Amino acid sequence: MTRATRYDPKRFRALTWFDATAAFADGSDSPRNYLERCLEAVDALEPVVQAFAALNRETARAAADASTTRWKDGKPLSPIDGMPVGIKDLLETKDMPTQLGCAAMTGNFPKNDNAAVWALRQAGAVIFGKTVTAELGGNHPGPTTNPFDPSRTPGGSSSGSAAAVAAGFMPAAIGSQVGGSIIRPAAYCGNFALKPSQGGIHRGERQATSMSTHGPHAGSIEDMWQVAIEVASRCGGDPGRAGIQGPMTTPTAAKPDRLILLETDGWARTDADSHAAMDELLESLRSRGVQILRRGDHPLIESLEQALVGAGDLANTITAWENRWTLRNLIDNRGDGVSERIKARVGVVEALSPDDYRQLLWRRENLRAAWRMLAPLADAFFTFSCPGPAPLWPGDVPGQPLAPRPTGDAVFNTPSSLAGAPAVTIPMLAVNGLPVGVQVMGQEGDDARMTAFARWIHLNIDPVAVG
Amino acid sequence: MTRATRYDPKRFRALTWFDATAAFADGSDSPRNYLERCLEAVDALEPVVQAFAALNRETARAAADASTTRWKDGKPLSPIDGMPVGIKDLLETKDMPTQLGCAAMTGNFPKNDNAAVWALRQAGAVIFGKTVTAELGGNHPGPTTNPFDPSRTPGGSSSGSAAAVAAGFMPAAIGSQVGGSIIRPAAYCGNFALKPSQGGIHRGERQATSMSTHGPHAGSIEDMWQVAIEVASRCGGDPGRAGIQGPMTTPTAAKPDRLILLETDGWARTDADSHAAMDELLESLRSRGVQILRRGDHPLIESLEQALVGAGDLANTITAWENRWTLRNLIDNRGDGVSERIKARVGVVEALSPDDYRQLLWRRENLRAAWRMLAPLADAFFTFSCPGPAPLWPGDVPGQPLAPRPTGDAVFNTPSSLAGAPAVTIPMLAVNGLPVGVQVMGQEGDDARMTAFARWIHLNIDPVAVG
């Protein structure tokens, strides 16, 4: 059983929380009832979707009951008090194991709460389950399937978070992105998601790399923002960073006057149907008075496009270098439980020197300079969130070379990761019955502003279905 | 038995490595023999000094034998091939436990190498032992005593690294500093030490805080620099940072033309004898043509001094906030093994909000701005490394309030920590028969430059003994 045979953005109704809480105060509904409906969806769909690495029904029910009492008493801890939230299985949770999608980490159960998990509990959220991650946040996939077609990937590495929201298991889930791990799976699964500015949400124990972030997937932009701000207002940003700030309710929809359309290396890798859908969307934006600027329109846009050539390799190599000791230790100690994909990556990066790494950082600085200098020219960057719908994933074939991108292509995601920039993906396109997201990206610190633009686009522009 | 009843900087001879290796090639000495001499010193003095949290004689001997062969073959891996190096027990080592000076971490043995430890092994160094740290790098002391007076603290939190070098157990050891944990213990123990620029040496698994660094203690400035550059040239800086760069041998001594004498909150807390010694040292510097600028001489120096008022509280609160989830998880899980000092600190910081933290970051930015703006005015900042000699430490008295600073006062160390600036401490003073260090501090990235100035001062200015 799957949720839908074809995704139709005009008819698809994601699970939402923000419009459910009014009934909690008058007792016509409750967080416990809400949770039970989620569990019913899990019972029906999880055998195919396989979004969970761990699920703790009884602690979730106890937390939902406590929340029910608070709402009845008129004293919810926050607007997300009682919200069932999934946690990507890279982040530590004190009441469930943290196994990082990696066989070598089987049974790992540090009984700690990541800073964001701590903040969610402080806000009253129900920590519902651990959602499947691709191995160690890389691209070696777990068992999760795409809720709109089980023969396809849900994307990665936040595979379970994206699929759980799309399957209606929960209104929001925490993902994380180093290269493309929040925005891409969300886009393949028809979710909203925020990849925060670098440092926007405290990463707790996960500080190892210079461009990873934690951020929410959600069925609505309201829930997406509410989760982000409830977390950030409690645990703040990364060490040394101010972190996400902004209104304590969803930012008011704001019309962008000018958007810079970024092609990146992804433009040429995107199928004709998706391009046709994007063309129609851009036309629709123009008809509402939004000016679309692109590489021919301004030399600095061209400069940024050129700085973005090879962005995927650049991002992957920087991160692989930063993870090399962690991965080397893991391989040396428990190599049997580490995939060949990870081993191959470590082998490549161990040939690099600190001077090679410094060169990569300098390329990233170059790119950031062009990104920043374009701030005055337009309100935001705009492009696909993924190069077409989620690809088929039949699994690796024993004896054959490993498939290069089993969780899809992060080509449209590495630019904002490299820039340290906030990105919001919006489910605006359907291509051959599958979701394809589009994203707005801003300058560091523009998280609330990008949410406001995304909200305007979603409210004012009709989604486009092609194929 | 202790190393010396009185410290005399003119007569004290620290253990050195750089001048020992010539004999390794011709076979008149060897890394194995060097190690055995170190082990003899350990056998004689360790019962009182108590510098080690773990010591692995057999793996050290095997590593020294391998190095002996490489030197004989004329193929040492680096100038520090065979050097016995101690590792502060906060950093993971694959062949010894990592217990962080904390009862709650007893038996912790992750069998991983920290990035700096990995780099040291690549350079051929002998990982000799884990050196005692104050609990979790804070100020709750371990058992280590000051090699020049066992009734006094060796300083902290790099207590064991500082004492082991001073006791002649090893020519160099790795320490770490968040507030004052490299420079202060080194100064109390008569060592040279480098607190690198923030991000200067990859911290491996220890990325939790925005102003901690790993750096070497050594008996000579040559060994101090060599360890720093051998490590940094292999593992580089922290994620996103260029890290320490510079010559692959000790920077040439460079005369500073102008030094800014920083008083900080420490000036008023320093005893008269130490001030007398400093006055004599400053006179000696002036007599060699070094101009000393201070707060009355330039308004921006006064601005920096004012920005440094309360620097200790500022640094401690920033770090405590950044560590709050880690510490809260530890206390919740294994509270019996955590000191009351740590618990009290977490209690205070848990009352702070992300907005409070943002205010602290803004104060730090203010201070950094003044620090940077003074760069053109002089070659370096200069001051005490500690407010007088190591204080007596008789231990906490049951039933009495906890002593506030059992490992001494970091008042002269938090400025460079907050500024993210490199600092080199030089053993230039003896006060009442105990070492007192002075330090040069520069701008971020000035690690080699500060080493060059420190080397000039040590070569050209006589040490001063008072009392």
Side-chain angles (χ1 to χ4, degrees):
Chain A
M1 180 177 175
T2 57
R3 185 168 176 79
T5 46
R6 285 179 68 86
Y7 170 75
D8 177 347
K10 289 172 186 156
R11 294 177 53 197
F12 177 70
R13 294 276 301 168
L15 188 62
T16 52
W17 176 264
F18 73 96
D19 52 0
T21 58
F24 298 163
D26 68 24
S28 60
D29 193 9
S30 74
R32 174 61 189 266
N33 290 342
Y34 192 103
L35 176 66
E36 293 300 331
R37 296 194 294 275
C38 292
L39 287 167
E40 283 169 25
V42 171
D43 288 337
L45 299 174
E46 174 65 1
V48 171
V49 175
Q50 299 188 68
F52 287 102
L55 181 56
N56 195 331
R57 289 170 194 255
E58 292 321 306
T59 57
R61 282 182 167 126
D65 286 342
S67 172
T68 296
T69 302
R70 290 191 294 267
W71 280 102
K72 271 190 191 156
D73 293 347
K75 292 177 179 172
L77 296 170
S78 79
I80 63 165
D81 191 338
M83 180 194 263
V85 180
I87 307 294
K88 186 177 185 179
D89 199 28
L90 293 179
L91 281 64
E92 293 183 350
T93 44
K94 65 181 178 186
D95 50 3
M96 281 176 275
T98 302
Q99 303 180 106
L100 301 94
C102 178
M105 301 301 288
T106 301
N108 183 54
F109 195 166
K111 301 188 175 61
N112 296 331
D113 270 344
N114 176 275
V117 175
W118 172 89
L120 285 166
R121 289 195 211 269
Q122 293 281 314
V126 172
I127 305 303
F128 184 28
K130 300 301 281 282
T131 49
V132 168
T133 175
E135 183 192 31
L136 301 171
N139 73 348
H140 186 69
T144 313
T145 62
N146 192 303
F148 299 102
D149 180 348
S151 63
R152 291 174 190 271
T153 179
S157 64
S158 305
S159 319
S161 291
V165 169
F169 297 168
M170 55 187 71
I174 303 297
S176 69
Q177 173 156 330
V178 207
S181 289
I182 292 176
I183 296 297
R184 179 167 94 269
Y188 284 157
C189 291
N191 302 337
F192 292 87
L194 169 66
K195 195 290 280 183
S197 300
Q198 185 59 47
I201 289 179
H202 198 297
R203 290 176 292 169
E205 74 282 0
R206 296 197 59 77
Q207 303 284 341
T209 56
S210 65
M211 51 185 183
S212 81
T213 51
H214 294 174
H217 291 243
S220 64
I221 198 159
E222 289 84 356
D223 291 338
M224 178 201 87
W225 177 259
Q226 203 68 42
V227 167
I229 198 69
E230 298 296 339
V231 169
S233 68
R234 285 171 173 81
C235 69
D238 268 336
R241 303 277 196 155
I244 294 178
Q245 298 177 76
M248 289 305 295
T249 53
T250 320
T252 304
K255 181 188 165 189
D257 289 320
R258 309 219 286 185
L259 295 173
I260 294 170
L261 183 73
L262 280 185
E263 297 187 358
T264 80
D265 288 345
W267 212 247
R269 296 195 208 161
T270 304
D271 62 284
D273 286 344
S274 298
H275 273 298
M278 176 61 97
D279 286 346
E280 193 176 329
L281 184 71
L282 293 173
E283 204 42 53
S284 187
L285 282 162
R286 285 192 197 95
S287 76
R288 291 296 308 263
V290 180
Q291 191 180 351
I292 308 292
L293 304 170
R294 54 201 303 178
R295 60 193 316 163
D297 297 327
H298 196 282
L300 203 54
I301 301 177
E302 182 61 33
S303 299
L304 177 59
E305 292 280 13
Q306 286 174 18
L308 289 171
V309 171
D313 277 351
L314 177 61
N316 290 339
T317 311
I318 287 174
T319 296
W321 167 270
E322 292 168 353
N323 279 326
R324 58 184 284 195
W325 293 283
T326 305
L327 295 175
R328 169 51 56 201
N329 281 317
L330 190 65
I331 291 166
D332 284 353
N333 287 335
R334 283 163 281 172
D336 289 350
V338 178
S339 75
E340 293 304 318
R341 282 194 171 82
I342 294 272
K343 288 177 183 165
R345 203 169 169 195
V346 174
V348 170
V349 80
E350 282 183 336
L352 301 183
S353 71
D355 277 343
D356 295 327
Y357 175 67
R358 291 176 185 119
Q359 281 294 114
L360 301 177
L361 290 183
W362 177 77
R363 280 184 57 198
R364 189 171 74 178
E365 286 305 313
N366 254 354
L367 182 162
R368 288 182 177 179
W371 192 279
R372 279 193 301 269
M373 290 180 75
L374 281 164
L377 189 69
D379 295 301
F381 299 102
F382 186 79
T383 194
F384 288 106
S385 300
C386 50
L392 294 166
W393 172 237
D396 287 311
V397 180
Q400 296 293 309
L402 296 171
R405 298 185 188 95
T407 60
D409 190 341
V411 64
F412 283 112
N413 315 121
T414 43
S416 71
S417 294
L418 287 162
V424 176
T425 183
I426 326 165
M428 294 297 292
L429 309 179
V431 176
N432 299 315
L434 290 162
V436 171
V438 298
Q439 60 182 327
V440 286
M441 296 173 281
Q443 300 294 323
E444 194 179 314
D446 276 349
D447 304 74
R449 202 161 164 250
M450 292 306 113
T451 302
F453 292 139
R455 193 178 192 191
W456 185 89
I457 291 169
H458 188 249
L459 283 173
N460 290 281
I461 306 292
D462 283 335
V464 178
V466 165
Chain B
M1 178 179 177
T2 57
R3 186 167 174 79
T5 46
R6 286 177 68 85
Y7 169 75
D8 177 348
K10 288 172 188 158
R11 294 177 53 197
F12 177 71
R13 293 277 300 170
L15 188 63
T16 52
W17 176 263
F18 72 96
D19 51 1
T21 58
F24 298 163
D26 67 25
S28 60
D29 194 9
S30 74
R32 174 61 188 266
N33 290 343
Y34 192 104
L35 175 67
E36 294 300 331
R37 296 195 295 274
C38 293
L39 286 168
E40 283 169 25
V42 171
D43 289 336
L45 299 174
E46 174 65 3
V48 171
V49 175
Q50 299 187 67
F52 287 102
L55 181 56
N56 196 330
R57 289 169 194 255
E58 293 320 305
T59 57
R61 283 180 166 127
D65 285 342
S67 172
T68 295
T69 303
R70 290 191 293 267
W71 280 102
K72 272 190 191 156
D73 293 348
K75 292 177 180 172
L77 296 170
S78 78
I80 64 166
D81 192 338
M83 180 195 263
V85 180
I87 307 294
K88 185 178 185 178
D89 198 28
L90 293 178
L91 281 64
E92 293 182 351
T93 44
K94 66 182 179 186
D95 50 3
M96 280 177 276
T98 302
Q99 304 179 105
L100 301 94
C102 179
M105 301 302 288
T106 302
N108 183 55
F109 195 166
K111 301 186 175 64
N112 295 331
D113 271 345
N114 175 276
V117 176
W118 172 90
L120 285 166
R121 290 195 210 268
Q122 294 280 313
V126 172
I127 306 302
F128 184 27
K130 299 301 280 283
T131 50
V132 169
T133 175
E135 183 192 32
L136 300 169
N139 74 347
H140 186 69
T144 312
T145 62
N146 192 303
F148 300 103
D149 179 350
S151 64
R152 293 175 189 272
T153 178
S157 63
S158 305
S159 321
S161 291
V165 169
F169 297 168
M170 54 187 71
I174 303 297
S176 69
Q177 172 156 330
V178 208
S181 289
I182 292 175
I183 295 297
R184 179 167 92 269
Y188 284 156
C189 291
N191 302 336
F192 292 87
L194 169 65
K195 195 291 280 184
S197 299
Q198 185 58 49
I201 289 178
H202 198 296
R203 290 176 293 169
E205 74 282 359
R206 296 196 59 78
Q207 303 284 341
T209 57
S210 64
M211 49 184 184
S212 81
T213 50
H214 294 175
H217 291 244
S220 64
I221 199 159
E222 290 83 356
D223 291 339
M224 178 200 88
W225 178 259
Q226 203 67 41
V227 168
I229 197 67
E230 297 297 339
V231 169
S233 68
R234 286 172 173 81
C235 70
D238 269 335
R241 305 275 196 155
I244 294 178
Q245 298 177 76
M248 290 304 295
T249 53
T250 319
T252 305
K255 181 188 165 189
D257 289 320
R258 309 221 285 184
L259 295 173
I260 294 170
L261 183 73
L262 280 186
E263 297 187 358
T264 80
D265 289 345
W267 212 246
R269 297 194 207 161
T270 303
D271 62 284
D273 285 345
S274 297
H275 272 298
M278 176 62 97
D279 286 346
E280 193 176 327
L281 184 71
L282 292 172
E283 204 42 54
S284 187
L285 283 162
R286 285 192 197 96
S287 76
R288 290 295 309 263
V290 180
Q291 190 182 353
I292 307 292
L293 304 170
R294 52 200 304 178
R295 59 193 316 163
D297 296 328
H298 195 284
L300 202 54
I301 300 178
E302 181 60 34
S303 299
L304 177 59
E305 291 280 13
Q306 288 174 17
L308 288 172
V309 171
D313 277 351
L314 176 61
N316 290 340
T317 311
I318 287 174
T319 296
W321 166 271
E322 291 169 353
N323 279 326
R324 57 183 287 194
W325 293 284
T326 306
L327 295 176
R328 170 51 55 200
N329 281 317
L330 190 65
I331 291 168
D332 284 352
N333 288 335
R334 282 163 282 171
D336 289 351
V338 178
S339 75
E340 294 304 318
R341 282 195 171 80
I342 293 272
K343 287 177 183 165
R345 203 170 169 195
V346 174
V348 170
V349 80
E350 283 183 337
L352 301 184
S353 72
D355 276 343
D356 294 327
Y357 176 68
R358 289 176 186 121
Q359 281 293 113
L360 301 177
L361 291 182
W362 178 78
R363 281 183 57 198
R364 189 172 74 178
E365 286 305 312
N366 254 351
L367 181 163
R368 288 181 178 180
W371 192 278
R372 280 193 300 269
M373 288 180 76
L374 282 165
L377 190 68
D379 295 301
F381 299 101
F382 186 79
T383 194
F384 288 107
S385 300
C386 50
L392 294 167
W393 172 237
D396 286 312
V397 181
Q400 297 291 311
L402 297 170
R405 298 186 189 93
T407 59
D409 189 341
V411 63
F412 283 112
N413 314 122
T414 44
S416 71
S417 294
L418 287 163
V424 175
T425 183
I426 326 165
M428 294 298 292
L429 309 179
V431 176
N432 299 315
L434 290 162
V436 170
V438 299
Q439 61 182 327
V440 286
M441 297 174 281
Q443 301 292 324
E444 194 178 315
D446 275 349
D447 304 75
R449 202 161 163 249
M450 292 306 113
T451 302
F453 292 139
R455 193 179 192 190
W456 185 89
I457 292 170
H458 187 250
L459 283 173
N460 291 281
I461 307 291
D462 283 335
V464 177
V466 165

